[in-house]
Amino acid sequence: MTTAVPTRTSAPLGRLAAAEVRWVLRRPRTLVLLALLGLIPVALGIGIALTGGPGAGEDGDGPGLVAAVAGNGLVLPIAALGLALALLLPLTVATASADALAGEASHGTLRGLLLAPVGRGRLVVMKAAGVLAVAVLAVVVVAVVGVITGMVVVGGPSGTLITLSGTTLGLGEALGRVALVAGWTIGQLLAVAAVALAISSFTEHPLVVLAAVLGGLIVFGVLAAIPSLEWLQPLLLTTGWGAGTDALRDPLPLDGLASSSLRALVYLVLGVAVTVVRMRRRDG
């Protein structure tokens, strides 16, 4: 009498996710986008160091925030994250999301994955892991390069950060504020990535995903600028994307960061739900 030896019909989810992350991070376009993101704080820091701007504006928004970097190097990573969130960071995660499903479909490889004994839910988790890795790494690149550039190129009071409120924070608290903005930015990007992944599950053309996501963000910005549509702003993902500057105030106001994070969570849940439902019904 022989005993049947159980066989594994699918690879562990952790191994699949790790393989997806390695594959995503080896793509030339991913590396190019990460390099461009790293150039943002460097270019901003060098430009401010060469011109030497005035102090911050009263409200700390827009040009005032950039001017606050002069002689205050630890403001640089927060300013760089704010500038990158306007376009290049969403473009990076949208590109990863477009490649995750629409790119696979355009190359004919998605059908093979759907027929393989992986499971539709596991497939979505695997693809989401690659997009998550890109989002986290993109923000980390901007934040870390921003801190290094700010301390080396811009300079300022050694190991301190002068807030927009006029108070001075020590190195540990200043880096904590940078980490807070970085984590908040990742949350906003995950919402963009979830929406892009949902769109990617409906098409075989990655450019359609990029056009829809970036076009949608532009439309959101236009709608937010129309006074008569002020009632619509709580529904727009880009509403509150300027809340990162709140980390430069003392005491730290959390209302803007919390409300924008909650809004991003709603978009994230909806995007993931649509993606899962679509992938369970998709044939190829």
Side-chain angles (χ1 to χ4, degrees), residues 15-34 95-96 99 129-131 133-134 137:
R15 185 185 301 174
L16 293 173
E20 178 70 15
V21 169
R22 288 194 299 269
W23 181 64
V24 168
L25 296 182
R26 289 175 181 172
R27 288 177 182 152
R29 54 179 161 272
T30 301
L31 298 177
V32 170
L33 286 170
L34 291 176
T95 300
D99 287 334
V131 178
V134 172
L137 186 57

Side-chain angles (χ1 to χ4, degrees), residues 6-77:
T7 58
R8 183 180 295 274
T9 58
S10 60
L13 182 58
R15 185 185 301 174
L16 293 173
E20 178 70 15
V21 169
R22 288 194 299 269
W23 181 64
V24 168
L25 296 182
R26 289 175 181 172
R27 288 177 182 152
R29 54 179 161 272
T30 301
L31 298 177
V32 170
L33 286 170
L34 291 176
L36 290 175
L37 287 168
L39 288 177
I40 290 178
V42 173
L44 183 60
I46 292 176
I48 292 175
L50 292 177
T51 59
E58 292 183 359
D59 58 358
D61 296 327
L65 176 61
V66 175
V69 179
N72 196 12
L74 288 178
V75 176
L76 179 62

Side-chain angles (χ1 to χ4, degrees), residues 7 22 51 93 95 139 173 190 245 247 253-254 265 277 279-280:
T7 58
R22 288 194 299 269
T51 59
V93 296
T95 300
V139 172
E173 191 172 359
L190 291 184
T245 60
L254 295 176
L265 179 61
V277 171
M279 293 307 295
R280 286 188 179 276

Side-chain angles (χ1 to χ4, degrees), residues 53-248:
E58 292 183 359
D59 58 358
D61 296 327
L65 176 61
V66 175
V69 179
N72 196 12
L74 288 178
V75 176
L76 179 62
I78 296 177
L81 285 170
L83 291 175
L85 184 58
L87 179 61
L88 197 51
L89 281 173
L91 174 62
T92 301
V93 296
T95 300
S97 299
D99 287 334
L101 295 176
E104 294 275 14
S106 67
H107 290 94
T109 54
L110 182 61
R111 184 172 182 82
L113 291 174
L114 294 175
L115 295 176
V118 175
R120 303 297 178 91
R122 288 160 60 89
L123 176 61
V124 173
V125 173
M126 179 181 72
K127 292 300 181 180
V131 178
L132 172 62
V134 172
V136 172
L137 186 57
V139 172
V140 169
V141 166
V142 177
V144 171
V145 175
V147 169
I148 296 173
T149 304
M151 298 182 70
V152 174
V153 177
V154 178
S158 178
T160 61
L161 183 151
I162 301 175
T163 68
L164 298 174
S165 304
T167 58
T168 301
L169 305 179
L171 179 60
E173 191 172 359
L175 293 179
R177 297 289 181 96
V178 174
L180 174 64
V181 176
W184 171 82
T185 304
I186 290 173
Q188 304 302 310
L189 289 183
L190 291 184
V192 175
V195 173
L197 204 59
I199 299 172
S200 183
S201 67
F202 283 91
T203 181
E204 298 181 357
H205 306 286
L207 289 180
V208 171
V209 181
L210 293 178
V213 172
L214 298 182
L217 294 178
I218 293 173
V219 170
F220 280 8
V222 172
L223 294 176
I226 301 176
S228 60
L229 296 179
E230 185 177 355
W231 58 272
L232 192 60
Q233 291 191 15
L235 303 177
L236 304 179
L237 177 59
T238 54
T239 299
W241 273 13
T245 60
D246 289 347
L248 296 174

